[in-house]
Amino acid sequence: MPSEDVAQARRHSQYALVSAHDIDAERLIDFASRVWPERPPYERILSCWWRHAASGCAAAVVHQSTGIMVGLCAGRPSEWVVAGQVYPAISICDFFVDPQHEGKLLGRRLLRHFEAPGRLLNALSISDIAAAYLGRMGWTGPYASSLMVMPLPRVARIFHRMMVRRAGLDLADYAIAGGQMPETLGADLDRIEAARAHDAPAHMRRGASEWSWRMSIYPDQTYRFCFAYRDAQPLGYVAVRAMSPGRSRQMGRLRGALMTDLVALHDDPTTLRVLAVRAVAMAAELGATVALFVTTACSHRRALAAIGFVSPDFPVFGRTLARRAPTYMWLPRGPGAGLAAEDMTMTFADSAVDLDL
């Protein structure tokens, strides 16, 4: 065996790759204190989304001789539609390695744990350090998404009521809690997804099963949906939920609302604008002082900017948004081999951001 292979085998024997579910609370908190010492309380790692998902959603690396946890990588499962074909996908998130154990290829070992033939690997909202590591692993990117903000939703909703009436669309609202997806709502989600499967950019498949999985992670959270119809046919939807105050260091205790997702058939600008207006109204009804949306799609940016959302292109304040906007990357193999940045539509729904905030 070549000396390099011997050295790698020796390093591997010093560390074990296990399900993160096998790590007890005390070791998880200790790990958090070492990888983000400036971000207490460290107990918040115990409420991460992957702790409520299947055991295969997160892997950990344990130092064999001491038993301490030194690495973590979570993968949010989904399906992606690329060029009209459906592929299994994993979105990498919560990717950390203890600085005291760097240089031992532990990050590569964690990432490769999630690789599989025919699977798309991507990531949205990762740190600069993680992005640099993924780049060395051959990932494409990072590319910047657009973080868009509507300040004072209670004021903004007053100016858009006429737009909704003039659009000629029928709107229907739903509030879903307890992780229960009504059959009629699930059927409309599947109808929208089926109608856009062949002409939309590459995107996460957003049907009933995807939303049922998402709501099963935190069944106590309430999602508010608005569906747009014409002649009883669903044309799109928007989903909104209240953020948990204090979960975001940047927002502190500020009451905010996330537009988790926004979908319209053929990216129709009127449908997008009307649904975004309804999302602002729902954010106001939730008592939010700010509504947030993240997107990689030009159609989203144009529609939201048209109704007053502040974008990274906005003078002065836009620079702050640009610095805080999540970045996205993907592994250019298998389904991801032919993708370009402009070929992918991603929102808060595609990452763990919605689940953790």
Side-chain angles (χ1 to χ4, degrees):
M1 180 182 293
S3 59
E4 183 178 342
D5 293 340
V6 171
Q8 181 173 327
R10 184 177 297 115
R11 284 194 296 268
H12 274 212
S13 68
Q14 296 173 1
Y15 298 91
L17 188 68
V18 301
S19 168
H21 282 238
D22 295 337
I23 307 297
D24 58 68
E26 183 178 353
R27 286 191 293 168
L28 284 171
I29 295 170
D30 175 65
F31 173 75
S33 72
R34 285 180 280 113
V35 296
W36 55 74
E38 77 290 354
R39 293 165 58 185
Y42 308 122
E43 291 81 0
R44 68 189 182 88
I45 195 173
L46 302 181
S47 61
C48 282
W49 70 272
W50 52 265
R51 298 254 298 165
H52 305 275
S55 61
C57 288
V61 173
V62 174
H63 187 232
Q64 297 270 49
S65 61
T66 62
I68 65 170
M69 176 179 169
V70 297
L72 171 68
C73 185
R76 181 239 189 279
S78 64
E79 292 181 319
W80 265 63
V81 181
V82 180
Q85 300 295 314
V86 178
Y87 299 94
I90 293 288
S91 293
I92 297 297
C93 48
D94 300 312
F95 179 45
F96 302 100
V97 173
D98 185 340
Q100 297 183 15
H101 293 262
E102 290 178 350
K104 303 181 185 299
L105 305 180
L106 301 181
R108 183 172 71 174
R109 190 173 175 186
L110 284 165
L111 288 170
R112 288 185 172 172
H113 171 73
F114 289 100
E115 292 185 25
R119 175 185 287 173
L120 174 67
L121 287 189
N122 62 51
L124 173 67
S125 187
I126 52 177
S127 67
D128 292 341
I129 294 175
Y133 195 93
L134 291 174
R136 293 195 296 272
M137 288 282 293
W139 285 49
T140 299
Y143 295 96
S145 65
S146 291
L147 175 60
M148 306 191 72
V149 176
M150 175 63 83
L152 304 176
R154 297 184 204 185
V155 176
R157 66 174 172 172
I158 298 173
F159 299 100
H160 298 303
R161 291 172 179 168
M162 187 62 69
M163 178 190 296
V164 175
R165 288 196 291 267
R166 289 177 176 174
L169 298 176
D170 298 316
L171 303 182
D173 292 346
Y174 302 85
I176 312 300
Q180 299 298 316
M181 171 69 69
E183 290 186 13
T184 54
L185 180 59
D188 284 342
L189 287 167
D190 286 341
R191 290 164 69 188
I192 293 170
E193 184 56 50
R196 68 193 294 258
H198 297 287
D199 66 352
H203 63 279
M204 184 180 73
R205 195 178 188 188
R206 292 152 152 80
S209 61
E210 158 59 31
W211 275 100
S212 294
W213 176 86
R214 174 182 297 276
M215 291 189 292
S216 73
I217 300 299
Y218 294 117
D220 57 327
Q221 290 182 347
T222 298
Y223 284 88
R224 301 189 65 176
F225 287 83
C226 178
F227 278 72
Y229 299 86
R230 181 177 284 122
D231 299 327
Q233 297 299 312
L235 303 180
Y237 72 89
V238 66
V240 177
R241 77 165 181 84
M243 294 177 58
S244 302
R247 292 294 295 269
S248 168
R249 289 188 303 148
Q250 294 176 336
M251 295 187 65
R253 305 299 299 181
L254 187 68
R255 291 181 62 87
L258 294 179
M259 285 176 57
T260 297
D261 207 12
L262 174 63
V263 174
L265 294 185
H266 316 299
D267 284 337
D268 178 69
T270 298
T271 306
L272 289 173
R273 287 196 299 270
V274 168
L275 287 170
V277 165
R278 183 65 193 120
V280 171
M282 289 192 290
E285 292 160 9
L286 291 170
T289 57
V290 62
L292 303 176
F293 184 58
V294 158
T295 184
T296 64
C298 292
S299 57
H300 285 157
R301 291 196 294 269
R302 288 192 296 266
L304 270 66
I307 66 168
F309 271 77
V310 180
S311 76
D313 298 326
F314 196 84
V316 184
F317 185 54
R319 290 198 292 270
T320 300
L321 293 180
R323 287 195 299 269
R324 297 183 177 182
T327 55
Y328 63 105
M329 303 180 72
W330 69 94
L331 184 64
R333 299 177 192 161
L339 290 178
E342 60 271 18
D343 296 331
M344 306 173 71
T345 297
M346 304 179 80
T347 69
F348 277 132
D350 291 83
S351 75
V353 175
D354 170 57
L355 296 172
D356 281 339
L357 294 184

